[in-house]
Amino acid sequence: MAVVAERAFTSRSTLQKVEAGNTNVSIGIYAGVLQALGLLEGLRQIADIGNDSIGQALASAGLPKHVHLRRPTRSSRDG
C-alpha cells in the first residue's frame, strides 16, 4: 500500500479512501492511483462517449424532433 501511495503521489489514508470508493476524493487522485497500478487506459475507456449508450440516449432525447429552417427574407430590390 505504501508503494502504490508513493507512486500515486498521495498518502496512505487517501489511498484507503480510494479503495473504499469515497466520492470526496478528486478524480486526479483516482487517475494517479490507476497510473501507479498500470490501469490508466481503463479511465480513457470509461470517459469515451462511444461506450455510454445511456448517456447517448439521454442526449438524443433532448434534441428537437423537427427542425424548421427559416427561408431567407426577400429584400425589396430582389423584386
Side-chain angles (χ1 to χ4, degrees), residues 5 7 18-20 23 28 30 35 37-38 43 52-53 58 62-63 66:
R7 290 181 182 174
V18 169
E19 289 178 331
T23 57
Y30 277 95
Q35 174 68 33
L37 296 172
L43 183 61
D52 186 6
S53 59
L58 290 172
L63 295 174
H66 302 283

Side-chain angles (χ1 to χ4, degrees), residues 1-12 15 32 36:
M1 182 179 242
V3 172
V4 173
E6 183 180 330
R7 290 181 182 174
F9 301 103
T10 192
S11 66
R12 288 176 60 176
L15 184 57

Side-chain angles (χ1 to χ4, degrees), residues 18-38:
V18 169
E19 289 178 331
N22 188 318
T23 57
N24 292 326
V25 178
S26 75
I27 190 69
I29 298 295
Y30 277 95
V33 171
L34 290 171
Q35 174 68 33
L37 296 172

Side-chain angles (χ1 to χ4, degrees), residues 28-77:
I29 298 295
Y30 277 95
V33 171
L34 290 171
Q35 174 68 33
L37 296 172
L39 301 171
L40 191 58
E41 180 64 23
L43 183 61
R44 188 170 69 90
Q45 292 172 356
I46 291 170
D48 184 359
I49 192 166
N51 296 328
D52 186 6
S53 59
I54 294 172
Q56 289 177 353
L58 290 172
S60 294
L63 295 174
K65 301 296 180 207
H66 302 283
V67 177
H68 300 282
L69 299 176
R70 294 182 183 220
R71 294 184 181 167
T73 58
R74 296 174 69 179
S75 65
S76 59
R77 65 184 174 141

